[in-house]
Structure formats: C-alpha cells, structure tokens
Amino acid sequence: MLRQALRRFGQKLVHRPPLKEPVAEDDPQRRLSTLDLVALGVGRTVSVGVYVLAGEVVSNQAGPSIVICFLVAGLSSVLSGLCYAEITARVPLSGSSYLYTYVTIGELRAFITGWNLIFSLVADTANVTRAWTLAFANLLGNQISQTLRESILLYVPQVLAEYLVFFVVGLVLLLMELQTLNHSQFFLITKVITLVKLLVLGFFIISGFIKGDLHNWTLTEDDYITAGLNDTSSLSPLGSGGFVPFGFEGILHGAATCFYTFIGFHNIFERVEEAQNPQHSVPMGIVITLFICLLVYFGVSSALTLMVPYYKLQPGSTLPEAFLHIGWAPAYYVVAFGFLCSLSSSLLGSMLPIRQLIHKMAKDGLLFPVLARIETGTYAPIMATVIFGITAPVMAVFFGLTDLVNFRSLGSLLAYSLVALCVLILRYQPQRRSEENEAEVQEENGPAAERLTLQGLLFPGSSTPTPLSGRVVYVCSSLLALLLTLLCLVLAQWPVLLSGDPVWISVVMVLLMLITGITGAIWRQPQSSSPLYFKVPALPLVPLLSIFMNVYLMMQMTAGTWARFGVSTLIGLAIYFSYGIKHSVEGVGMANST
C-alpha cells in the first residue's frame, strides 16, 4: 500500500500533460512576421543592460575586457537560443520555459522553473524602474532625491526620503501598464522605439570610434599616478592595468553580469501562436535578434572603453555620461533621451510576461485560482498584475541594481539550462500520443517488452526511438546535468586547480571521464526523424555545452544572490507541496483516470 502511494506520488511529480493542438496556420490572429518578431526581440533585449550595466561591469569587474564578457555571455545566449529555436519548432505553442519544461520533464521541475521565472521577471521590472529613475534624476542633476531629502526628511527615515521616488515612478508606470493597446498600435510603437534605440546606439558607437583612444586599453600604473589616483582611490580598486585589469576572475564575474543583457529574446517564443509560419519565423527571429544584440553590445562596450578610461566610470554611471568626459554635452542629452524611450518601452512590456505566466500556472492549478481572475473587457489577469506589480517597486527600493540583475540572470540561466535539457531529451523520444500517455500505461501494467543490456545500450537494434531508448536518454541526461553541475562547482575553484593540487585534478579527470562515457551512450541512441524546420546541430554536444556554460555562469553569482534565490525557491516549494500538487489539473485528471 505504501509502495503504491509513493509510486503515485512520484508519478505526479514527473507527470507530463498532453500537447494541445496549436493555432491553425491560417488563423487571423497569426499576424506577426519575422520582422515583427525581430523588432520585438531586439526592442526587449536592448534595454537597461546596455545603458547602465556597462558602467557597473567596466568600473570594478572587467575594465576594457568587458568586450570579452559580452562575447562569452553572447555565446551562452546563442547556444540557449538554438535550443529554444528547436523546441519552439517542435512545440509551436505560445509559452515560456515553464510550458516547455512541463511537457518534457514533468510537473515539479516545471513549477520550479515557472516560480523562479516569475520572481526573475518581477526583479527585471524593478530593475528597469530603478534604471529609469536613475536616468531621469541624472538628467535633472539629481534634484529629485535632493528635494525629497530636504522636504520630507523630518517625517520619514532618510532611506525612504532618498528612494521614495521609486514608489512613485513604479506605481505610475504600473497604472500605465494596466492600459491596453491593440496589436497594430503596440507593434507599430515597438518598431519605432526599436529603430530609435538602434540609431542612438549607432551614434554612440561611431562617436566612440571617432573620439576614442586605444591607449585606454593599455593603461599602466604611470597613467594612474599622472591622473592623481592610487589603489586607495575612492572610485574603486584600480586593478592591475592593461586590457584585463581585474584578471580572469573579473572576466568571469563580468560575463555572468552581462548575461542579463541578452535575456529579452524570450518575448519571441511567447508570441509563437501569433506568428506567421512559426516553425520558420520564430527560430529565424531568435537567431537574428541575438546576432544583432551581440554586434550592438560589442560595439557599445568597445566605444565606451575607448572614450573613457575605465577607472573614471563608477557603479551607477549611465552610458550617456561618457559624452560628458569628452566634452560633447549636447550628445549627452540626445543619448539620454533615447535611454528614456528605451526604458519606457521596456516598462510597458515588462509586466505582460509576468501576468501571462502567473495566469497560465493558476489555470493549471499550480497557483491559487484568484491569480487567474480576468478583468472584464480587457481580458487581463488583474489580480496577478496588481499583486506582483506592487512587488516590483518594493524590490527596487530594497535591492541594488547589481543585486536585481544577478537575481534575474540566475533565474533565466536555470530556465535556459532546463530548456537545453528538454531539447536533448525530446530528440531521442518516440512519438507521443496526443490524448493520453497510453504507452506509459502499458509499460506500467504489462511486462517489459525490452530489457536493457550493455550491447543494446551501445548498439541499439532499432533505427527509430523506442520507449526503452527514450528512458535511457532521460536517465543519462539527468545524470549529465548533475555531473556538469559538480564539474562547474569544482572548476569554480580554478585557482586551486592551477596550483596543481592532485586531489582536485583527479576529481576533474573522473568527472570528465564519466561525462564523456554517458555522452557517448546518448549519442549511440536513435534520434527522432520527425521533420522540423530547425534542429540543433551537433546533438548532443550543443545542448550539453549550453548547460555547462549556463551553470558555470551561475557559479559566478554572489552568495547573497544564491541566498535570495534559495529563499524564493523554498517559498515556491512550500506552495507547491501544500497546494499545487493537490489541485493540479493534470494531476487530478491522472488520479481520476487511475
């Protein structure tokens, strides 16, 4: 009896819902072309990161080597984008990492993915709110916070006097978000603002290459002495000079922070059901978006570090301030205007993914039904928007810019790793039934038709996936994810490895041999021959490399970021095991059928 109860409990945790039929190709709601998707992706991706994070990373993490940080973060994002391109071609439904994880590896991991994505998106909204306020205050010479301190310091604590503007701006922009636009107006505004952003950033790149000085990439201690600086400067520790002043460790930490700047392409696969020919336009939109963003970020970071010596940039410095260093004050206001346009568009669209995800999880029974309540007339999930919309400005007050960025990046890196795992598993699975998992029922109730042997593992007898080969890949992929995580934990201690410690080196060698052997076992299994417009090349290497890079970047996050992430995850698990697992629509349906 206990065994059966535990078995049913385990089946609930890994239960996968059947896929519903996608929207028909000729449905009138499919109105987005590839150009629309690229404009949406670039407009959402090129946002607060390129304007604010450049100063954060350059000043105390990477210096001029920020260009390498963007290349590393871009490579990780491209690998993740390839995985998303295949899974959207295979599952042509609007959704997020939550949906793709749910239909592939089960309910529990899907809930963890969705819950962390919700908090990551809220942190993203708080981050944009904070950056918008910072940019607006800089344009006015920081008069807002000064006025607030002088006028209400006698009535509220100094911290709230300084940051009360975050509440005001956040709530005002929340009310703006509650207004609705029809599709044609929304995408027309998106295209215009995206074009303005690219023109402004193009002007910045050209200006940087005109006014830049290559000597800023080869600074020495003599330059610091000439500038009147030393290692105790109030600006920040100056590093060792040169192109990589903070060493290899600085590049790794900078790459983890810069990953945030590539996150926005998720808006594309959230519009799959509105895209014309989604199996073609969505993969193309993702790849083109990431390529454009990588070029823009590489150009902007190069221009910034050529225009301004890295030690003159402080945390909190915005991109337009570089023009003040070269004496181009009018250009400062031009770029600042483009900055505000960019952030305003980001705020208008930042709440949409949050409320869609919350509404979807509430409809699936994993969150409380009040969060799925729809406002009459606008069809917007009003409770979800209000509750988490208020949370965003609160987070903007109590957390710093870098804290919010790292929290957002950590949640996205986890989601991207799970999607790469989903791609790896799906490619080797037999065709699933659309209505019920009849094959699974037969496997549970009847004698096993296949037995796993070493010869069958290395030399499968079928050229098409079977239930046994699918289970082999499922188990091996899960083991690989665990081994890659352990490998990243060990490699994060790279100074110890470079010292030649035989114990650590032996651990790395054992992990590499295990990873190589399990990867070979997966490679020998038959792949699905289902025709797709796009497939990830070099399987299983590309998804595994994506998981490795994502997890290694996660290891560069601070202990505080991991603590906040752990607390939010524990809260989510408490909600799932106390409510979600009992009220899950798919779980209840499975219990009734049993």
Side-chain angles (χ1 to χ4, degrees), residues 438-457:
E438 297 178 7
E440 293 180 6
V441 175
Q442 291 175 2
E443 290 166 14
E444 294 169 5
N445 297 335
E450 300 177 276
R451 296 291 181 184
L452 181 63
T453 62
L454 181 60
Q455 181 178 0
L457 179 65

Side-chain angles (χ1 to χ4, degrees), residues 129-131 133-134 162-171 393 396-397:
T129 303
R130 192 179 183 92
T133 309
L134 175 65
E162 184 173 0
Y163 295 115
L164 184 62
V165 65
F166 293 137
F167 285 106
V168 178
V169 173
L171 292 176
V397 171

Side-chain angles (χ1 to χ4, degrees), residues 555-570:
M555 298 302 167
Q556 308 307 313
M557 300 298 178
T558 62
T561 302
W562 278 103
R564 286 184 284 273
F565 182 80
V567 170
S568 66
T569 302
L570 288 176

Side-chain angles (χ1 to χ4, degrees), residues 136-149:
F136 192 69
N138 285 345
L139 271 178
L140 300 180
N142 291 315
Q143 294 178 4
I144 295 179
S145 59
Q146 182 65 30
T147 302
L148 287 173
R149 280 196 297 267

Side-chain angles (χ1 to χ4, degrees), residues 7 14 16 104-105 109 424-430 438-453 457 464-479 518 521-522 525-526:
R7 186 175 184 179
V14 299
R16 297 174 294 165
T104 307
I105 54 180
R109 278 178 279 192
L424 184 60
I425 292 174
L426 278 177
R427 184 76 75 87
Y428 294 93
Q429 298 301 312
E438 297 178 7
E440 293 180 6
V441 175
Q442 291 175 2
E443 290 166 14
E444 294 169 5
N445 297 335
E450 300 177 276
R451 296 291 181 184
L452 181 63
T453 62
L457 179 65
T464 58
T466 63
L468 177 62
S469 67
R471 289 196 300 273
V472 167
V473 172
Y474 189 95
V475 173
C476 288
S477 300
S478 301
L479 287 175
I518 297 176
I522 292 179
Q525 304 308 307

Side-chain angles (χ1 to χ4, degrees), residues 137-188:
N138 285 345
L139 271 178
L140 300 180
N142 291 315
Q143 294 178 4
I144 295 179
S145 59
Q146 182 65 30
T147 302
L148 287 173
R149 280 196 297 267
E150 294 175 354
S151 60
I152 63 174
L153 187 57
L154 298 176
Y155 304 100
V156 295
Q158 183 175 356
V159 173
L160 289 183
E162 184 173 0
Y163 295 115
L164 184 62
V165 65
F166 293 137
F167 285 106
V168 178
V169 173
L171 292 176
V172 168
L173 292 170
L174 172 62
L175 294 176
M176 291 171 57
E177 169 61 26
L178 294 179
Q179 308 302 314
T180 58
L181 294 172
N182 62 46
H183 281 274
S184 59
Q185 293 173 332
F186 178 80
F187 285 105
L188 177 60

Side-chain angles (χ1 to χ4, degrees), residues 52-71 213-219 224 236-255 257-258 297-315 319:
V52 177
L53 278 190
E56 295 275 343
V57 176
V58 169
S59 62
N60 55 20
Q61 289 185 353
S65 61
I66 186 177
V67 295
I68 302 178
C69 298
F70 275 119
L71 289 177
D213 185 358
L214 280 174
H215 181 66
N216 289 332
W217 283 8
T218 57
L219 296 174
Y224 303 149
S236 65
L238 300 177
S240 59
F243 186 73
V244 190
F246 300 99
F248 182 66
E249 185 175 1
I251 293 178
L252 292 177
H253 288 300
T257 304
C258 288
Y297 294 153
F298 184 83
V300 168
S301 58
S302 300
L304 177 64
T305 51
L306 287 173
M307 274 198 293
V308 186
Y310 73 90
Y311 59 79
K312 290 187 177 181
L313 293 169
Q314 302 183 45
L319 200 63

